[in-house]
Amino acid sequence: GQNIDQPTEMTATEGAIVQINCTYQTSGFNGLFWYQQHAGEAPTFLSYNVLDGLEEKGRFSSFLSRSKGYSYLLLKELQMKDSASYLCAVMDSNYQLIWGAGTKLIIKP
Amino acid sequence: TAGITQAPTSQILAAGRSMTLRCTQDMRHNAMYWYRQDLGLGLRLIHYSNTAGTTGKGEVPDGYSVSRANTDDFPLTLASAVPSQTSVYFCASSESTGELFFGEGSRLTVL
């Protein structure tokens, strides 16, 4: 079956760095997405990786290793507004998105 | 900028009643999707439409139906609601297989 694994919850301190991991087993691979979802709101797009390596976008970076079925989202200089759930999703060979359950990130002052 | 509009925002529904969740987009995206989101689970695809006039079943289609009469509208109908359909429903759209744009969600409680 297809599976996306990410930690349920993480806690970090304001100003620090946090890495949220995502491992996947899917039928084919056509890219990996990260979305941010604040409580009670809709998910919003953060990043897309289809090739191995690191994609940097401001304070957020996303890494992909296709051979290991692994990705991480790196958040630097954490701010209180970064408290949210972070959703990992993989596009399979049928171009359908398979979603992880999300990682709830709690930022403490 | 509207993007995707869902209605209603929330609804309490008696079991056995029918309900239509509305979704309208103004981005002229070809692909539209309905997901449900439940605590502890990832987003699960209910139905999708790759273009106006076509629809397809997702991971959890039972008890739901959709139509796509035009590019902008993609309503989701529950013919006879059951308590297990209590969830938050998100409509989304995309250009081809790219980034998804989500509506604000519809919170449905079936009693």
Side-chain angles (χ1 to χ4, degrees):
Chain A
Q2 306 200 92
N3 195 52
I4 309 288
D5 285 318
Q6 47 180 136
T8 302
E9 186 173 298
M10 299 182 70
T11 302
T13 304
E14 189 177 16
I17 299 173
V18 70
Q19 177 175 311
I20 303 173
N21 296 325
C22 171
T23 58
Y24 63 89
Q25 292 176 309
T26 57
S27 302
F29 180 85
N30 280 300
L32 185 145
F33 295 80
W34 283 97
Y35 283 77
Q36 180 189 59
Q37 185 177 24
H38 286 101
E41 298 183 7
T44 55
F45 171 81
L46 285 178
S47 67
Y48 171 68
N49 294 68
V50 66
L51 299 176
D52 288 354
L54 188 68
E55 294 278 345
E56 297 187 77
K57 192 184 294 185
R59 294 189 299 114
F60 292 9
S61 303
S62 56
F63 172 83
L64 175 68
S65 169
R66 294 184 60 174
S67 63
K68 295 182 179 179
Y70 168 69
S71 172
Y72 67 73
L73 181 68
L74 191 71
L75 291 73
K76 302 176 184 177
E77 301 170 14
L78 286 169
Q79 302 175 10
M80 298 303 293
K81 68 179 182 179
D82 297 330
S83 292
S85 289
Y86 291 85
L87 314 181
C88 174
V90 173
M91 186 167 286
D92 69 10
S93 57
N94 295 319
Y95 293 93
Q96 296 290 343
L97 277 175
I98 311 300
W99 294 84
T103 299
K104 182 178 181 180
L105 178 64
I106 300 168
I107 309 297
K108 295 186 175 181
Chain B
T1 50
I4 295 190
T5 303
Q6 289 185 234
T9 303
S10 66
Q11 182 75 42
I12 299 174
L13 188 66
R17 300 297 295 268
S18 66
M19 175 77 194
T20 295
L21 302 180
R22 301 184 298 278
C23 176
T24 300
Q25 56 119 345
D26 64 1
M27 296 175 284
R28 308 301 293 173
H29 287 164
N30 281 321
M32 296 188 75
Y33 311 85
W34 274 106
Y35 286 94
R36 59 178 291 173
Q37 187 174 42
D38 302 290
L39 197 63
L41 300 176
L43 287 162
R44 292 184 291 169
L45 183 65
I46 304 170
H47 285 286
Y48 65 92
S49 169
N50 289 328
T51 189
T54 69
T55 62
K57 294 182 180 180
E59 179 186 357
V60 289
D62 294 344
Y64 306 94
S65 64
V66 292
S67 62
R68 187 89 184 275
N70 56 61
T71 297
D72 298 343
D73 300 301
F74 191 45
L76 176 74
T77 297
L78 290 68
S80 180
V82 295
S84 62
Q85 292 177 311
T86 293
S87 188
V88 180
Y89 292 85
F90 286 101
C91 180
S93 71
S94 71
E95 289 183 355
S96 185
T97 57
E99 169 191 351
L100 288 180
F101 294 83
F102 286 87
E104 290 302 310
S106 296
R107 183 175 297 274
L108 180 65
T109 302
V110 181
L111 300 175

